[in-house]
Amino acid sequence: MERKNTKRVPSFRKLLRTSKIKLDNKLKNKQYKQQSAAKKYRKEQKKLRQAVRDAVCKKPFPLEDYKKKHAEKREEEEEDEALPLDMMDEDDLKLMEDLARKASFLTRDISSNEPVHIKKRKRDSVIEKYEKMPRRINTEPEKELIHLLPIKDKGGIIPQTMEKPVPDVAEDEEEDMEEMEAAEDFNEEPPPVLTPEEMAAQRKIKLQERKMHIAALASAILSDPENNIKKLKELRAMLMEQDPNVAVIVRKLVMVSLMEVFKDIAPSYKIRPLTEAEKATKVKKETQKLREFEEGLVSQYKFYLENLEQTIKDWKQRKLKKSNVVSLKAYKGLAEIAVKCLCELLVALPHFNFHNNIIVLIVPLMNDTSKKISELCCEAVKKLFKQDKLGFASLGVVKVVSGLVKGRNYNVRPEVLKVFLHLRIKEVELKKDSEDIAPKKKFMTFKEKRKHLSRMQRKWKKAEEKLERELLEAEASESKEKKLKLHTETLNIVFLTYFRILKRAQKSPLLPAVLEGLAKFAHLINVEFFDDLLIVLHSLIASDDLSYRESLHCILSAFQILSGQGDVLNIDPMKFYTHLYKTLFSLHAGGTNDDIGIVLQCLDVMLAKRRKQVSQQRALAFMKRLSTLALHVLPHSSIGILATNRILMQTFPKMDLLLDNESQGSGVYLPELDEPEHCNAQNTALWELHLLQRHYHPTVQKFAAHLAVGAPAEGSGALSLDLSRRPATELFEAYNMKGMTFNPPVPSVTPRRKVTPCPFLTTGCTTLSFICYVQTLAHSVWLSRGCHLSLSA
């Protein structure tokens, strides 16, 4: 019967009570055993090396040295004991001569009683045997032997030799003669000249062969990347195609194929180089195989990027290679494909190795003179910004762009700075909000544990904290604090670039892009810079050196600043209100009105979001001027303006004053005055709504009729939900007729008299003459319908 094992497994609590000294002693004993084993192994290796050195040093003595060493002793012995040669037999003499020729006879210790052909012991070294083996002198020079590595089998060690081939002088001379004759024949008979059709067919066949080879290599790599990683080198070698007929197309195909292959087989993490300790450590076969795959992948990816970079440099420098395989004209096509591949890798592999190197290559090409290459690079950077959720790649691009702008002395294309508008930055780590950010998890100190926990609780708490630390290290998602830190650093570099241009290059073509960027990110600027920035923006507007669009961006930037953290500042932006009110009529009458979108954003920030700081006189003046503006712009612009008027009518009280023709105070309405506070807008009426109800666009008619009855939220005069719940800017974009044709509907009621089309809508107008024309037309309509001016009639 088997004896039952009564030994119990120690519990976790008993293991916790194990003495620390006992555990330390066990660890020390284990270390001592390892050290003694390593010491013993080193001694054995030292003995083995010493034996090899001794075997190498034991060389046979030369015949002359041996004779000189024992000359005197032999002479004395020969005088006494040696027999004369004439008394020896011929057979004995011949045997002595044969033995004298052997080196083993001369070098062997003759005093030893050991036989010559003694059997080799097992402990004798194999190296010692081969070192002591005498070298034989070949009597026939044409049959020289080459000693190869020996083979070991059950019978023992078998030496291997091979005869060295001796070149035959006669055969070489014959071959030279044949080559000379062939060269003479070649000179005498040139190859047949191919027709263009034959050359095209031959080129097509070659190209098809190359395509099939590229496809086969790429398919093999994609099917099993770890085993076929060496085929990447073979595929990359085709970038150096030397056949001038197909070199350009083959190189382009290989570039694109390698790009797609790397996009598919690249892992979702960055491969780091192994340390010396990791290389020396023994690992499993699977791990070693994975390491070799990663090392080969990174190496081939690096060489591929270097080839793309060299292609672009050759095109930039107009450098012709010595082989003349590719012409200078074909360099541009190769460079475009190389740039396209780099852009694809920039967007697809932001997490992989050498991504910063790709950024350094792509960003300067955004300012390239070639429009196609510049657009490719700008679009790639925009895509990278849009899909970069964390911010690592965006930060790298912004740093390089800022250095490029400063290094070129602000002489770059505006498109380079406009890519900043696509950054996904909605919040940053502000100073006042630093306390609100959730702090990192803190673990209890030793004193706190000693004070509040028992001995057993402290041990369990230690194990829990260790587990939590490991989980935090293994967590893949980045924390919110890290994301805010990256966004803050990125935005600081963006604002630094903007402020440099505002300070040093105000007449640069980059100013519109800077103002547009400030308008977008102004709410994220630090409060310390608000006063200086508003002063700079106002000085730019007052200088009259800006275009209309740039001035709108200045206004939008100023109010974005004041609507965010600037609420606490006591600043009166009346100058910006006056400038916008004065320049509203500068919009183009028959153009696409792209600036209307910025105007609507400005009105939303200036009036709707700051309604507590806006007086009633100012709101009435803007509403009247916007209604007049709606008469001479395109329908989608009129819809956006009327939607803004609807918001103003619902936001500010007593706006229905403009729906009655009775005056509400002293003075007369002055439409030409540029001050909205003093134009007496309360003494006028919105007669423009009466004209807009007869507009050919149905949506404009609906908005005009809705405003004419006071913009009610319910009832018969209310708008539908799809129009009432959408903001003005969204309606403007939705009804934009750019690239579309609009067929006006046939009116249900035939007008009383034929109205001629407005000439300004076809030719375009940027002056106030169009307003005079509209006023004249309005007065004629009033006279035809009667003298009652109430819009509700």
Side-chain angles (χ1 to χ4, degrees):
M1 291 180 63
E2 294 182 0
R3 187 178 180 182
K4 188 176 180 181
N5 188 10
T6 58
K7 188 177 181 180
R8 296 181 62 186
V9 179
S11 63
F12 178 70
R13 182 170 297 183
K14 190 173 182 180
L15 289 175
L16 287 177
R17 290 199 298 267
T18 304
S19 174
K20 187 178 179 182
I21 299 174
K22 190 175 181 180
L23 293 176
D24 292 343
N25 291 338
K26 287 184 178 181
L27 181 61
K28 288 179 181 179
N29 292 337
K30 187 176 180 181
Q31 291 177 355
Y32 290 154
K33 288 181 181 179
Q34 292 177 354
Q35 291 176 3
S36 60
K39 189 175 180 181
K40 186 176 180 181
Y41 176 75
R42 287 196 298 270
K43 286 182 178 180
E44 292 177 356
Q45 293 295 322
K46 187 175 179 181
K47 289 180 180 179
L48 181 61
R49 288 194 296 269
Q50 186 64 34
V52 173
R53 284 196 294 269
D54 294 343
V56 171
C57 293
K58 291 180 180 179
K59 296 181 180 179
F61 293 102
L63 184 60
E64 292 79 9
D65 296 344
Y66 188 83
K67 286 182 178 180
K68 289 178 181 179
K69 188 175 181 181
H70 303 280
E72 298 177 356
K73 188 176 181 180
R74 284 183 178 178
E75 287 177 1
E76 293 175 358
E77 292 177 355
E78 285 175 0
E79 287 178 0
D80 299 333
E81 299 177 2
L83 297 175
L85 294 178
D86 54 356
M87 295 178 67
M88 295 179 66
D89 297 336
E90 292 182 1
D91 296 336
D92 296 337
L93 183 61
K94 187 177 181 180
L95 178 61
M96 294 296 291
E97 290 177 356
D98 292 340
L99 291 174
R101 292 193 186 97
K102 293 184 179 181
S104 60
F105 175 76
L106 298 175
T107 56
R108 191 170 69 89
D109 189 4
I110 304 176
S111 62
S112 176
N113 297 326
E114 192 175 55
V116 179
H117 303 290
I118 189 171
K119 220 171 189 181
K120 180 184 174 297
R121 295 179 182 177
K122 291 184 179 180
R123 295 184 181 180
D124 291 347
S125 175
V126 178
I127 302 174
E128 203 170 310
K129 173 188 174 183
Y130 278 94
E131 289 296 336
K132 292 182 178 181
M133 184 183 294
R135 272 64 169 175
R136 297 182 181 179
I137 302 173
N138 295 327
T139 56
E140 299 177 358
E142 66 274 3
K143 292 184 180 180
E144 185 177 354
L145 295 178
I146 299 175
H147 292 277
L148 304 178
L149 292 174
I151 298 174
K152 184 177 180 181
D153 59 358
K154 294 181 180 179
I157 296 174
I158 304 173
Q160 298 288 323
T161 57
M162 184 182 71
E163 293 185 1
K164 187 175 181 181
V166 180
D168 194 351
V169 181
E171 291 181 0
D172 291 344
E173 292 178 357
E174 291 179 1
E175 290 178 1
D176 295 338
M177 291 296 294
E178 290 177 359
E179 290 178 0
M180 292 175 63
E181 291 176 359
E184 291 176 358
D185 296 340
F186 180 80
N187 295 330
E188 291 176 0
E189 298 180 2
V193 180
L194 299 177
T195 61
E197 291 80 7
E198 293 175 347
M199 292 178 65
Q202 188 177 5
R203 179 177 178 274
K204 188 176 181 180
I205 294 172
K206 289 181 180 179
L207 192 58
Q208 188 64 25
E209 291 176 356
R210 301 296 196 282
K211 287 181 180 179
M212 294 299 294
H213 189 47
I214 293 171
L217 290 174
S219 300
I221 296 168
L222 294 176
S223 62
D224 192 1
E226 292 188 2
N227 293 329
N228 297 327
I229 191 65
K230 293 183 179 180
K231 293 190 177 181
L232 266 178
K233 184 177 181 181
E234 186 178 351
L235 183 58
R236 190 177 56 81
M238 296 184 71
L239 286 172
M240 301 293 113
E241 178 64 42
Q242 298 299 320
D243 193 344
N245 293 329
V246 294
V248 177
I249 297 180
V250 169
R251 291 185 183 187
K252 290 181 180 180
L253 292 173
V254 174
M255 285 181 188
V256 178
S257 301
L258 281 170
M259 180 260 295
E260 294 294 339
V261 167
F262 281 120
K263 283 169 61 177
D264 287 339
I265 68 175
S268 59
Y269 54 87
K270 188 175 182 180
I271 300 173
R272 63 173 181 84
L274 298 175
T275 61
E276 294 296 332
E278 290 175 340
K279 291 180 180 178
T281 307
K282 285 188 176 182
V283 293
K284 296 181 180 178
K285 290 184 178 179
E286 293 79 4
T287 308
Q288 185 64 27
K289 188 176 181 181
L290 180 60
R291 286 182 177 181
E292 292 176 357
F293 165 72
E294 291 178 345
E295 186 178 358
L297 178 62
V298 171
S299 176
Q300 295 303 320
Y301 187 58
K302 177 185 177 183
F303 291 141
Y304 172 62
L305 294 178
E306 289 176 352
N307 288 333
L308 295 182
E309 181 184 7
Q310 190 61 42
T311 303
I312 298 172
K313 284 183 179 180
D314 292 343
W315 169 62
K316 286 289 184 184
Q317 299 172 0
R318 302 296 189 271
K319 185 179 178 182
L320 189 64
K321 298 291 184 180
K322 295 180 180 180
S323 59
N324 293 331
V325 174
V326 180
S327 62
L328 285 173
K329 293 182 179 180
Y331 275 166
K332 185 176 181 182
L334 286 172
E336 288 178 356
I337 298 297
V339 171
K340 187 176 180 180
C341 293
L342 287 172
C343 292
E344 289 287 336
L345 294 173
L346 177 75
V347 178
L349 303 176
H351 57 276
F352 198 54
N353 300 55
F354 308 113
H355 190 258
N356 291 333
N357 302 75
I358 300 176
I359 291 174
V360 174
L361 286 175
I362 290 294
V363 169
L365 294 175
M366 293 166 61
N367 192 41
D368 195 77
T369 54
S370 175
K371 187 177 180 181
K372 185 175 181 180
I373 290 180
S374 177
E375 290 178 353
L376 275 174
C377 297
C378 291
E379 289 299 322
V381 173
K382 291 176 185 177
K383 288 181 183 178
L384 181 65
F385 285 163
K386 289 179 182 178
Q387 73 178 24
D388 187 19
K389 296 181 180 180
L390 184 59
F392 276 114
S394 301
L395 178 60
V397 174
V398 167
K399 284 182 179 179
V400 180
V401 171
S402 178
L404 176 70
V405 173
K406 185 179 179 182
R408 298 285 178 89
N409 198 17
Y410 314 104
N411 187 19
V412 296
R413 296 163 60 97
E415 289 77 8
V416 177
L417 279 184
K418 285 184 179 179
V419 298
F420 287 166
L421 300 176
H422 298 270
L423 285 167
R424 295 183 58 178
I425 299 178
K426 295 183 180 179
E427 56 179 349
V428 294
E429 187 177 359
L430 302 174
K431 287 186 177 179
K432 68 174 185 179
D433 297 334
S434 59
E435 297 178 357
D436 300 335
I437 298 175
K440 296 181 179 179
K441 185 169 184 178
K442 295 182 179 179
F443 297 102
M444 295 179 67
T445 60
F446 179 75
K447 291 184 178 179
E448 292 174 351
K449 292 178 184 177
R450 190 75 178 267
K451 184 177 181 181
H452 301 288
L453 301 177
S454 64
R455 184 169 176 269
M456 196 64 192
Q457 288 175 340
R458 288 199 299 270
K459 291 182 178 180
W460 283 107
K461 191 71 176 176
K462 184 177 180 181
E464 289 178 1
E465 289 181 356
K466 183 179 180 182
L467 180 61
E468 287 180 2
R469 286 193 182 94
E470 292 177 354
L471 291 175
L472 287 174
E473 291 175 359
E475 189 178 2
S477 60
E478 298 292 337
S479 61
K480 182 181 178 183
E481 292 78 10
K482 194 170 186 179
K483 184 178 179 181
L484 285 176
K485 186 177 180 181
L486 287 171
H487 285 183
T488 305
E489 187 178 356
T490 303
L491 203 61
N492 287 340
I493 298 173
V494 171
F495 283 139
L496 180 63
T497 306
Y498 285 165
F499 293 159
R500 281 174 180 169
I501 296 172
L502 284 176
K503 185 178 180 181
R504 303 178 184 178
Q506 292 186 357
K507 295 184 179 181
S508 170
L510 299 176
L511 189 60
V514 171
L515 295 174
E516 194 173 353
L518 286 175
K520 181 174 181 180
F521 301 116
H523 62 286
L524 301 174
I525 301 177
N526 200 335
V527 185
E528 300 173 357
F529 305 109
F530 280 1
D531 291 337
D532 297 335
L533 190 56
L534 287 174
I535 292 172
V536 171
L537 293 176
H538 184 263
S539 63
L540 287 173
I541 292 176
S543 64
D544 294 333
D545 294 333
L546 304 179
S547 64
Y548 184 68
R549 191 180 184 89
E550 293 170 3
S551 63
L552 290 178
H553 281 307
C554 277
I555 296 171
L556 184 59
S557 302
F559 281 96
Q560 287 282 9
I561 292 172
L562 295 176
S563 64
Q565 306 173 67
D567 290 338
V568 297
L569 300 178
N570 188 15
I571 298 175
D572 184 17
M574 187 60 195
K575 297 176 182 179
F576 297 102
Y577 280 103
T578 304
H579 182 78
L580 181 62
Y581 183 80
K582 178 176 64 175
T583 57
L584 275 177
F585 288 147
S586 299
L587 287 168
H588 199 277
T592 57
N593 296 145
D594 291 334
D595 297 336
I596 283 286
I598 308 174
V599 171
L600 296 177
Q601 294 179 28
C602 292
L603 292 171
D604 181 58
V605 178
M606 296 168 66
L607 300 175
K609 293 183 179 179
R610 292 176 59 87
R611 53 184 177 272
K612 294 182 179 179
Q613 290 85 9
V614 177
S615 63
Q616 183 180 353
Q617 294 292 331
R618 194 181 303 175
L620 290 171
F622 269 99
M623 189 170 182
K624 174 62 179 177
R625 182 153 287 199
L626 287 173
S627 300
T628 308
L629 179 65
L631 292 172
H632 71 279
V633 291
L634 293 179
H636 65 287
S637 303
S638 296
I639 293 170
I641 291 172
L642 293 177
T644 302
N645 278 349
R646 176 178 175 273
I647 295 172
L648 295 178
M649 194 171 287
Q650 293 177 347
T651 303
F652 293 93
K654 298 182 181 180
M655 295 298 286
D656 54 349
L657 295 175
L658 298 178
L659 300 179
D660 194 0
N661 59 348
E662 295 180 2
S663 61
Q664 299 294 326
S666 61
V668 181
Y669 174 60
L670 303 174
E672 298 86 3
L673 193 66
D674 294 335
E675 294 292 336
E677 297 283 351
H678 308 290
C679 65
N680 300 322
Q682 74 278 2
N683 294 327
T684 185
L686 295 179
W687 51 264
E688 296 87 358
L689 298 179
H690 187 72
L691 293 177
L692 291 171
Q693 290 183 48
R694 303 174 64 185
H695 200 279
Y696 69 87
H697 200 286
T699 310
V700 177
Q701 295 177 12
K702 292 178 183 179
F703 267 102
H706 175 67
L707 293 175
V709 295
E714 298 176 351
S716 59
L719 286 175
S720 59
L721 293 178
D722 61 330
L723 295 177
S724 61
R725 293 186 176 182
R726 301 169 74 178
T729 53
E730 187 177 342
L731 287 169
F732 166 73
E733 295 294 338
Y735 287 92
N736 194 348
M737 294 190 302
K738 187 186 295 185
M740 299 185 297
T741 57
F742 178 75
N743 298 322
V746 179
S748 58
V749 180
T750 306
R752 295 184 180 179
R753 64 193 186 94
K754 187 177 180 180
V755 181
T756 58
C758 174
F760 296 97
L761 292 178
T762 57
T763 59
C765 174
T766 56
T767 62
L768 292 174
S769 60
F770 179 75
I771 300 174
C772 300
Y773 168 79
V774 173
Q775 288 178 348
T776 306
L777 179 62
H779 283 290
S780 65
V781 173
W782 285 346
L783 292 174
S784 64
R785 295 179 62 86
C787 296
H788 187 64
L789 297 180
S790 179
L791 291 177
S792 60

